[in-house]
């Protein structure tokens, strides 16, 4: 063996043993109590003055800085807006940990780049057309007894009415379902307290089942809907066969939230455009924005989902586009759906941790309106109705169901909760986060009067959603709150006319009027809407796949996964099967010789077991790139319709000899002078290790 080769292999060995490298150190323990020397205080003061930092800035830095190797306390799962993805961000450092591909192909993760018939691309088809993006709005972590359990994450695509299921063991998308009734949605996804159902609420009314009717027939033919997707936790998939929907009037349903504790068994949906305005500025009609805001009230939809489930199971749903739908008549007759008036164009509805209160924020009303589930139940039982809507649904008497109205400021949108009896509401027009007190059993938790505004912290600028630590569960943690500010304007360096959104971290650990912004984080990849913040130690993520040859799509060992020593290229007519393994720092085999026109199936196992020893695999010109995480098995196929010599290589810098981790795909032109060489049909000898 030459010296050079010996040295190179040695480097490979060093790289391969990296996982056990004792030089790696991570700071997990708390540092010793700090005592700054006078010299350090002087240096810190000098630095602060040099960088123009005040005492609050130093405090904010101390609250958010993560020493190298220290882990964050929380993970924020954020919608990625038009990027179609989910972002995972550490809190309090606000460091981006990962983008999870959901509705948009993404090459680093090899998501949608596995040749022809890629299962991701197949799953993105709507009516036969690949729709390769999404407008993700509302992520929903799976819950057990109303608390995040860290197992699954769901997210809706507003543009195309799809819901995705992400497995939080490997943080990969496992399933995408397309709503069979509606083209676009909005109130997705929300889960019931034990993740029995993943709820997908709609928004813009259409003719259910992708039908057509002119706007003149709006009231007669257009409808809203809410879909209850049954989640099968054992299978980790939405069980479409046991899912159903409710027909709703063509009011534009907006956000939704599931009841919990006192309101378990119910869910709540806002609406706007109860006016049923049909717009048409081009014909001299009032535009939607005016037409949909004429009335003083819209309707809070109150749904008894346990009753709806029983009605569905009793076979009383009617099929639309092959999907079971409980009609408005059935909902009215069975007492599944009720309305309560809610002030002017509401946006968010959020259920308090004890399930007692539903907080509705009206975009055009400076108050939040708080409904009580006890009062709602009593009003339904006592038939305290103020009438019926045009579709026969009973409207509850407003005064009979409202607990409080709290004046907060301009443009209230969304509300979250903490562990101290406070609620937090985003004020879009005021550009502020309002802290206010809950009443009832929460009144004893804080010193202020119940149902009162306590404080407003300005944010920059125009906050949409906000998110407190586990702030929409039965047991919020308090401590941190994210302001998902829509505009950043002057907060960062200018990035051309398109500017990032601004996630701002607020410290909500103190009571009263202390609630400072302690970090600004630009999000330059899409416009996120909602996010949820989970305690990091609830996540039980895999470090590597459980076994070598693991198929992430089935989440089990795959019988087709190539094993070491069995690699090779086999031909059957014009079908070629490539069986490959990948390990630092080589693919086996390294040469793959085929004929133009061959149908190629290519299987690769990453036979690594070391954490983070990920390889990539690309074939330039054939639109193939895979991410081969330790233990992962992947398969792709393509038709070799372009002859030539194609280097394939590893796209992750995996070792000192990463650049050498390559090989050639030789596609011989049809009718080349030399007859096709017999490609080896016996396994190729394994590599040098
Ligand atoms: S929506 Cu975006 S700010 Cu889609 Cu939840 Cu309120
Ligand atoms: Cu494997 Cu680079």
């Amino acid at each position: 063996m030459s010296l050079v080769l010996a040295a190179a292999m040695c480097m490979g060995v060093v790289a391969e043993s990296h996982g056990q490298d004792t030089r790696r150190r991570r700071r997990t323990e708390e540092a010793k109590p700090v005592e700054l020397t006078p010299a350090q205080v002087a240096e810190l003061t000098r630095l602060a003055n040099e960088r123009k930092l005040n005492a609050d800035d130093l405090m904010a830095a101390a609250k958010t800085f993560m020493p190298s190797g220290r882990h964050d306390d929380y993970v924020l799962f954020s919608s990625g807006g038009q990027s179609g993805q989910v972002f995972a961000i550490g809190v309090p450092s606000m460091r981006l940990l990962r983008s999870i591909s959901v509705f948009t192909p993404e090459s680093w993760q090899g998501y949608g780049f596995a040749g022809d018939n890629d299962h991701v691309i197949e799953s993105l088809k709507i009516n036969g057309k690949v729709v390769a993006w999404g407008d993700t709005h509302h992520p929903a972590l799976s819950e057990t007894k109303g608390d995040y359990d860290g197992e699954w994450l769901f997210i809706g695509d507003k543009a195309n009415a799809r819901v995705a299921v992400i497995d939080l063991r490997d943080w990969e998308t496992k399933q995408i379902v397309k709503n069979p009734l509606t083209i676009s949605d909005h109130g997705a996804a929300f889960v019931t307290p034990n993740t029995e159902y993943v709820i997908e609420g709609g928004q813009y009314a259409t003719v259910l089942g992708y039908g057509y009717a002119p706007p003149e027939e709006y009231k007669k033919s257009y409808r809203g809907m809410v879909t209850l997707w049954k989640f099968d936790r054992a299978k980790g998939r939405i069980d479409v066969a046991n899912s159903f929907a409710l027909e709703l009037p063509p009011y534009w349903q907006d956000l939704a939230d599931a009841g919990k504790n006192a309101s378990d068994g119910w869910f709540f949906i806002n609406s706007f455009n109860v006016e049923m305005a049909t717009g048409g500025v081009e014909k001299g009609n009032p535009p939607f924005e005016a037409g949909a805001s004429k009335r003083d009230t819209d309707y809070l939809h109150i749904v008894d989902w346990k009753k709806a489930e029983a009605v569905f199971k009793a076979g009383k749903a009617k099929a639309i586009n092959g999907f079971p739908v409980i009609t408005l008549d059935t909902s009215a007759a069975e007492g599944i759906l009720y309305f309560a008036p809610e002030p002017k164009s509401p946006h968010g509805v959020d259920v308090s941790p004890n399930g007692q209160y539903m907080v509705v924020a009206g975009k055009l009303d400076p108050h939040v309106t708080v409904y009580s589930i006890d009062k709602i139940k009593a009003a339904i039982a006592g038939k305290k109705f103020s009438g019926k809507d045009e579709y026969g649904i009973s409207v509850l008497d407003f005064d009979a169901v409202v607990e409080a109205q709290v004046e907060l400021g301009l443009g209230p949108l969304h509300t979250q909760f903490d562990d101290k009896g406070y609620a937090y509401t985003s004020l879009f027009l005021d550009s502020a986060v309002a802290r206010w007190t809950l009443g009832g059993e929460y009144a004893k938790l804080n010193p202020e009067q119940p149902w009162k505004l306590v404080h407003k912290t300005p944010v920059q600028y125009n906050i949409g959603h906000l998110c407190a630590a586990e702030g929409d569960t039965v047991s919020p943690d308090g401590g941190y709150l994210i302001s998902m500010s829509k505009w950043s304007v002057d907060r960062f360096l200018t990035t051309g006319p398109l500017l990032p959104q601004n996630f701002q971290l607020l410290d909500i650990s103190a009571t009263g009027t202390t609630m400072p912004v302690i970090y600004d984080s630009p999000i330059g990849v899409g416009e996120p809407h909602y996010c949820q913040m989970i305690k990091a130690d609830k996540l039980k993520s895999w470090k590597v796949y459980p076994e070598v040859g693991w198929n992430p799509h089935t989440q089990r060992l795959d019988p087709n996964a190539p094993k070491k020593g069995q690699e090779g290229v086999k031909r059957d007519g014009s079908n070629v099967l490539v069986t490959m393994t990948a390990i630092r720092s080589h693919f086996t085999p390294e040469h793959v010789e085929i004929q133009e026109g061959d149908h190629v199936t290519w299987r690769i196992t990453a036979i690594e077991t070391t954490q983070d020893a990920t390889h990539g695999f690309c074939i330039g010109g054939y639109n193939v790139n895979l991410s081969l995480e330790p233990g992962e098995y992947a398969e792709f196929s393509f038709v070799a319709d372009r002859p030539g010599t194609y280097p394939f290589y590893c796209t992750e810098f995996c070792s000192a000899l990463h650049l050498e981790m390559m090989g050639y795909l030789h596609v011989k032109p049809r009718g080349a002078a030399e007859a096709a060489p017999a490609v080896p049909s016996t396994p190729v000898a394994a590599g040098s290790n």
Side-chain angles (χ1 to χ4, degrees), residues 584 614-616 650-655 658 661:
R584 280 161 293 168
T614 294
H615 300 285
C650 169
T651 52
E652 282 273 341
F653 208 111
C654 54
S655 72
H658 150 79
M661 191 166 178

Side-chain angles (χ1 to χ4, degrees), residues 136-138 158 186-187 190 203 254-255 347-348 413-414 426 428 463-465 484 486 527-530:
T136 59
H137 272 237
H138 303 103
K158 172 171 171 165
H186 186 227
F190 296 85
Q203 183 135 84
D254 205 7
L255 294 197
H347 186 47
L413 295 185
H414 300 287
S426 55
F428 180 84
I463 174 174
H465 273 275
M484 303 176 78
K486 298 285 183 195
E527 189 216 326
H529 289 256
Y530 188 41

Side-chain angles (χ1 to χ4, degrees), residues 147-435:
D147 221 344
Y148 301 152
D149 55 41
E151 292 187 357
W152 305 93
L153 180 68
F154 311 94
I155 189 152
D157 163 18
K158 172 171 171 165
N160 306 293
R162 295 185 280 196
V163 173
V165 179
I166 297 163
D167 190 331
L168 290 176
R169 288 173 297 182
D170 62 356
W171 297 39
E172 291 197 355
T173 301
K174 301 300 171 189
Q175 184 186 22
I176 291 174
V177 292
K178 167 73 190 117
N179 195 292
L181 303 174
T182 186
I183 305 296
S184 64
D185 69 17
H186 186 227
F190 296 85
V191 296
T192 51
N194 287 300
T195 321
E196 297 94 337
Y197 290 96
V198 181
I199 299 169
E200 179 187 12
Q203 183 135 84
Y204 305 122
T206 57
V207 180
L208 296 185
Y210 318 150
Y212 168 81
E216 291 71 29
E217 293 172 19
Y218 188 84
K219 286 187 182 183
K220 180 172 142 255
S221 303
Y222 286 51
R223 289 293 178 272
M225 68 90 217
V226 58
T227 298
L228 286 84
W229 295 107
K230 180 81 188 146
F231 186 59
D232 182 335
R233 211 183 261 264
K235 292 208 179 95
R237 296 288 187 279
I238 283 170
D239 175 3
V240 177
N242 283 301
S243 303
F244 64 99
L246 302 180
E247 177 193 23
L248 298 174
Y251 313 143
W252 291 349
Q253 285 79 27
D254 205 7
L255 294 197
D257 199 6
K260 45 190 170 241
N261 289 326
S263 50
D264 190 10
W266 300 79
F267 64 78
F268 309 91
I269 316 174
N270 275 330
S271 65
F272 59 111
N273 198 16
V274 162
E275 295 84 348
M276 295 187 277
T278 54
V281 273
E282 66 285 352
K283 290 182 185 159
N285 295 336
F288 277 116
E289 59 176 314
S293 315
K294 261 196 240 148
R295 282 178 45 146
D296 281 336
T297 55
D298 292 280
Y299 291 137
L300 175 65
H301 296 36
I302 300 163
V303 179
D304 184 337
W305 67 259
K306 294 216 166 142
K307 224 176 232 181
E309 180 183 56
V311 163
F312 162 61
K313 285 187 177 163
K316 295 186 197 166
K318 143 189 163 196
I320 299 181
N321 198 13
F323 195 73
V325 179
I326 297 173
T327 63
L328 277 166
D329 289 348
T330 304
S331 282
E334 304 273 351
I336 292 170
L337 173 66
Y338 297 93
F339 291 149
E342 48 186 3
K344 280 199 159 302
S345 299
H347 186 47
V349 53
D350 297 283
V351 178
S352 66
N354 64 1
Q356 191 58 241
Y357 305 117
M358 278 57 70
V359 179
V360 168
K363 299 176 293 234
L364 303 178
D365 179 27
H367 300 85
V368 284
T369 302
V370 183
Y371 299 78
S372 145
I373 189 66
D374 286 349
K375 291 186 174 182
I376 288 171
K377 285 179 185 169
I380 291 172
K383 299 200 178 342
K384 289 191 188 155
F385 303 132
S386 56
K388 285 183 195 258
D389 84 329
E390 283 187 46
Y391 298 89
I393 302 300
S394 297
V395 180
L396 296 164
D397 177 51
F398 182 73
D399 294 324
V401 294
V402 168
E403 180 75 29
Q405 288 193 288
V406 187
E407 183 165 349
L408 299 180
L410 299 180
L413 295 185
H414 300 287
T415 299
Q416 292 262 300
F417 305 92
D418 73 0
D419 56 336
K420 299 185 184 68
Y422 289 128
Y424 299 84
T425 298
S426 55
L427 302 175
F428 180 84
L429 296 173
D430 268 358
S431 284
V433 175
R435 166 185 268 172

Side-chain angles (χ1 to χ4, degrees), residues 510-527:
T511 53
T513 57
T514 306
M515 197 168 82
V517 172
I518 55 173
Y519 200 83
D520 274 23
S521 184
I523 306 290
V525 255
E527 189 216 326

Side-chain angles (χ1 to χ4, degrees), residues 40-43 128 197 215 220-221 223 261 267 431 459 541 554 556 567 581 608 668 673:
Q40 286 170 322
V41 172
E43 176 62 3
Y197 290 96
K220 180 172 142 255
S221 303
R223 289 293 178 272
N261 289 326
F267 64 78
S431 284
V459 290
S541 309
T554 58
R556 58 175 72 97
E567 301 92 340
T581 59
E608 299 277 1
K668 287 208 170 177

